[in-house]
Amino acid sequence: MNSALSWLFDPAHWSGQEGFPARILEHLGYTALTVLVAAAIAIPLGALVGHTGRGTFLVAGLSNWLRALPELGLLTLLVLLTYVGLLPVVVSLVILAIPPVLAGTYAGVRNVDPSVVDAARGMGMRESHVLLRVELPNALPLILGGIRSAALQVIATATIAAYVSLGGLGRFVIDGNNSGAGSPDGYPQMAAGAIMIAVLALVVEGVLELVQRMAVSPGLRNAATRKRTARIWRRPTPDLVH
């Protein structure tokens, strides 16, 4: 661990195109692109299924099927079918990111208070307006929760980009592994890369949680808190054994 920390805080590894700042930006770029594409696919699909109630089996089946796919194996297959580049990496990571966003959007829309939806329809709103102006704003906490989960999973898995000669923090892990056990930069470089991936995931989690707090209205946050409290109070109290 001492050698890993020494390698991590070596000033020589914090400058240039192969230093930590450049690799962090590359890693964040892969993550942002992946989450945006996944959200563009999963949010409309999850909102439509949640609003209509049709195709629920599709959400469950698709989420489970996509989670079961091995990202590294899928990446290798895509590289063999296409070429070594960014596209296979993005496709593999998008497949990983879709299930949490899809599930969060579906659950958020589906769990909106029925009385609120009925009131909107009673006011003469069209179904599209009910979805866009009532259900999606109320589902925002769960949607953002799904995006947060997807972002963390992508950050942890984006190391596979280095497997096909791209950048990101996975570059340190792959290069350290290729150096061999006897190399002075082998294990320290791998461990330093892994540490930075974990730190980056924690930082992004904190930033996204702050964004979620700022984006979600206090009324929705308080309502969610009241629901959790109500569920706790409704739990049966276990009998005491004397």
Side-chain angles (χ1 to χ4, degrees):
M1 183 57 68
N2 290 334
S3 60
L5 293 177
S6 299
W7 202 98
L8 175 62
F9 293 109
D10 187 344
H13 301 144
W14 286 86
S15 61
Q17 295 182 351
E18 298 183 356
F20 278 107
R23 296 304 187 191
I24 290 173
L25 290 177
E26 291 173 344
H27 209 94
L28 289 174
Y30 300 150
T31 301
L33 177 59
T34 297
V35 174
L36 286 175
V37 174
I41 297 172
I43 291 179
L45 180 59
L48 180 62
V49 174
H51 175 72
T52 62
R54 301 173 183 174
T56 303
F57 69 93
L58 176 64
V59 173
L62 184 62
S63 296
N64 293 331
W65 180 71
L66 293 179
R67 285 192 180 103
L69 290 176
E71 278 68 38
L72 186 57
L74 178 62
L75 174 62
T76 303
L77 176 62
L78 291 174
V79 168
L80 293 175
L81 294 177
T82 56
Y83 59 92
V84 176
L86 184 59
L87 180 60
V89 174
V90 171
V91 172
S92 301
L93 295 177
V94 165
I95 290 175
L96 172 70
I98 283 178
V101 181
L102 181 62
T105 304
Y106 167 78
V109 173
R110 199 63 182 165
N111 290 328
V112 174
D113 191 343
S115 62
V116 176
V117 177
D118 291 340
R121 287 173 176 154
M123 293 173 60
M125 279 190 175
R126 298 178 179 178
E127 290 300 314
S128 59
H129 291 170
V130 172
L131 175 60
L132 296 176
R133 299 180 182 180
V134 177
E135 291 177 327
L136 283 179
N138 279 275
L140 192 58
L142 288 180
I143 295 175
L144 293 178
I147 292 176
R148 283 172 56 189
S149 177
L152 293 180
Q153 292 182 37
V154 171
I155 287 175
T157 314
T159 53
I160 63 175
Y163 184 71
V164 291
S165 302
L166 293 179
L169 291 173
R171 190 76 269 158
F172 298 108
V173 178
I174 298 297
D175 291 346
N177 180 65
N178 293 338
S179 298
S183 172
D185 287 337
Y187 172 79
Q189 187 175 5
M190 292 177 62
I195 291 172
M196 283 305 302
I197 293 170
V199 171
L200 182 63
L202 292 175
V203 171
V204 170
E205 167 70 8
V207 171
L208 291 180
E209 182 176 358
L210 179 62
V211 170
Q212 183 174 354
R213 287 181 175 273
M214 295 175 62
V216 177
S217 67
L220 289 177
R221 290 201 302 267
N222 295 336
T225 302
R226 288 194 297 269
K227 287 181 180 179
R228 287 195 298 267
T229 304
R231 285 197 297 268
I232 293 173
W233 282 106
R234 284 198 299 266
R235 291 176 183 172
T237 304
D239 295 334
L240 296 178
V241 179
H242 298 285

